[in-house]
Amino acid sequence: MSDYSIETKCVQSGYTPENGQPRQIPIIQSTTFKYATGEAMGQLFDLEASGYFYSRLQNPTCDHVAAKICDMEGGSAAMLTASGQAANFYAVFNIANCGDHVVSCSAIYGGTYNLFAVTMKKMGVDFTFVAPDCTDEELEAAFRPNTKAVFGETISNPSLTVLDIERFAKAAHAHGVPLIVDNTFATPVNCRPFEWGADIVTHSTTKYMDGHGAAVGGCIVDSGKFDWLAHADKFPGLCTPDDSYHGITYAEKFGQGGAYITKATAQLMRDFGSTPAPQSAFLLNLGLESLHVRMARHCENALAVARFLEGHEKISWVNYAGLESSPYHKLAAKYMPGGTCGVVSFGIKGGRDAASRFMANLKLAAIETHVADARTCCLHPASTTHRQMSDRELIAAGVPGDLVRFSCGLESSDDLIADIAQALERI
């Protein structure tokens, strides 16, 4: 459905029932699939035929939903994972292994930072973190001969910086490596990173795509535009024979548009097993069907809340790219002219203690680890999602100790503002 608008893709892409088939995507709740002969199944194991044999690798329900997200992003292939964290791990580890290096923005989700700086470092993958607004010289200096990818978030969680996708893509491509962009907060409704030079997109589908706090999940989408064979020396996993699949060379057998996701599915999902449940994929699809409608309301509410906070005497600063006062307003207007996201970050005068008292006094907004949901929620990241980071790392990530992340849901903006106002009055 590539010729249709994003609104139509949200509703219709990924699954087209034939005569007499279910109108809704069916839930194929089965771990395994029957075949008439061992030879037929053997072809699946050799990647010589398409089909399903074990749901740890692929499942029809999950593939239908992945196909929808792929179409929404304008990609060539996609896969679902059990979480957004798994999606980011697979996206990087698919091309960067022990002894390799990755350049990453420092302003990223705390869980992703910990994955990169601690866990993957133990696996032998080294990361250099750069500020999203670093100079061209600083960005260039971060690259090494063994750099295999550049990573960033369209809108960082929770600092809400906006990535200059074109600039980072240009730098990545100058060094023969892909740009991986986590597009969770913007969603393809508000930004399609492939149109600005990104090569791989990831999502925590747990957030806006699901939208109802129902199912944890993730997704990886390949643009199909990065020429792996042109940089074969950098990507041996894609461009040399895989002994575990009888010497298949992914980039040659599955082409530029299929090699990356095929390898991630056949190799990483096979070995690590971060498998999404068919039921979770079904729930995700229900959320996707209304994503275009919900994102508009999330952004409308967030802008109203941000404008109220900007004028309040007890607020020390507000970060929302939709505000004209934001240093990221011009970038947001370029990459996300229809709106950014429903999350507002701000600081309360009085620091951490004041932030804690503010959140305790809220009535509508719930204190939750979650974000980007139909229901308004808030969090103090320095004490929760980013608590594993040092004060220096918090500053580098754009997460000062007084930061409150306020995720505007679908309620009335008047009610949200009234709730914030009464909570501020009680500090």
Side-chain angles (χ1 to χ4, degrees), residues 358-374:
F358 164 76
M359 292 195 302
N361 289 327
L362 290 168
K363 297 178 180 178
L364 268 180
I367 300 174
E368 299 177 6
T369 307
H370 198 34
V371 68
D373 190 77

Side-chain angles (χ1 to χ4, degrees), residues 330-342:
K330 288 185 178 179
L331 281 177
K334 173 182 177 179
Y335 294 119
M336 294 163 277
T340 56
C341 67

Side-chain angles (χ1 to χ4, degrees), residues 132-133 159-163 319 321 323 325-333:
D133 51 359
S159 58
L160 302 183
T161 61
V162 176
L163 183 70
N319 190 6
L323 293 173
S325 59
S326 169
Y328 300 101
H329 185 71
K330 288 185 178 179
L331 281 177

Side-chain angles (χ1 to χ4, degrees), residues 162-238:
V162 176
L163 183 70
D164 190 341
I165 301 172
E166 275 193 317
R167 185 166 78 96
F168 275 76
K170 181 179 178 181
H173 296 160
H175 289 269
V177 301
L179 173 62
I180 303 172
V181 175
D182 185 327
N183 198 31
T184 296
F185 267 20
T187 81
V189 170
N190 286 342
C191 182
R192 295 183 7 138
F194 293 155
E195 296 176 356
W196 302 99
D199 302 289
I200 308 294
V201 159
T202 63
H203 287 278
S204 171
T205 61
T206 318
K207 310 304 190 298
Y208 286 121
M209 284 187 165
D210 175 283
H212 301 84
V216 174
C219 186
I220 310 172
V221 187
D222 180 13
S223 69
K225 296 178 181 178
F226 192 85
D227 190 347
W228 305 105
L229 287 172
H231 309 281
D233 58 324
K234 283 184 173 289
F235 306 104
L238 286 163

Side-chain angles (χ1 to χ4, degrees), residues 265-287:
T265 302
Q267 196 180 82
L268 299 187
M269 191 64 83
R270 175 197 66 190
D271 294 344
F272 291 101
S274 299
T275 310
Q279 179 71 45
S280 295
F282 177 84
L283 293 172
L284 168 59
N285 185 63
L286 293 181

Side-chain angles (χ1 to χ4, degrees), residues 67-287:
K68 172 177 283 193
I69 297 174
C70 184
D71 196 23
M72 290 166 63
E73 285 286 9
S76 63
M79 64 185 292
L80 296 188
T81 60
S83 68
Q85 191 82 326
N88 282 336
F89 171 61
Y90 282 18
V92 174
F93 199 66
N94 201 33
I95 51 177
N97 304 148
C98 183
D100 291 334
H101 171 257
V102 175
V103 176
S104 174
C105 280
S106 57
I108 55 176
Y109 168 58
T112 306
Y113 181 92
N114 193 67
L115 169 68
F116 291 169
V118 179
T119 303
M120 292 192 72
K121 185 175 182 179
K122 293 177 182 178
M123 301 171 74
V125 183
D126 198 14
F127 287 78
T128 296
F129 295 93
V130 297
D133 51 359
C134 66
T135 65
D136 289 341
E137 292 74 20
E138 290 170 331
L139 180 55
E140 178 66 24
F143 286 87
R144 301 176 188 173
N146 61 336
T147 299
K148 297 300 176 71
V150 178
F151 181 92
E153 295 178 357
T154 311
I155 305 172
S156 62
N157 176 14
S159 58
L160 302 183
T161 61
V162 176
L163 183 70
D164 190 341
I165 301 172
E166 275 193 317
R167 185 166 78 96
F168 275 76
K170 181 179 178 181
H173 296 160
H175 289 269
V177 301
L179 173 62
I180 303 172
V181 175
D182 185 327
N183 198 31
T184 296
F185 267 20
T187 81
V189 170
N190 286 342
C191 182
R192 295 183 7 138
F194 293 155
E195 296 176 356
W196 302 99
D199 302 289
I200 308 294
V201 159
T202 63
H203 287 278
S204 171
T205 61
T206 318
K207 310 304 190 298
Y208 286 121
M209 284 187 165
D210 175 283
H212 301 84
V216 174
C219 186
I220 310 172
V221 187
D222 180 13
S223 69
K225 296 178 181 178
F226 192 85
D227 190 347
W228 305 105
L229 287 172
H231 309 281
D233 58 324
K234 283 184 173 289
F235 306 104
L238 286 163
C239 302
T240 60
D242 180 357
D243 292 338
S244 68
Y245 278 108
H246 307 291
I248 283 176
T249 299
Y250 295 100
E252 293 178 355
K253 184 172 182 63
F254 300 102
Q256 189 170 307
Y260 179 88
I261 292 296
T262 301
K263 178 179 180 293
T265 302
Q267 196 180 82
L268 299 187
M269 191 64 83
R270 175 197 66 190
D271 294 344
F272 291 101
S274 299
T275 310
Q279 179 71 45
S280 295
F282 177 84
L283 293 172
L284 168 59
N285 185 63
L286 293 181

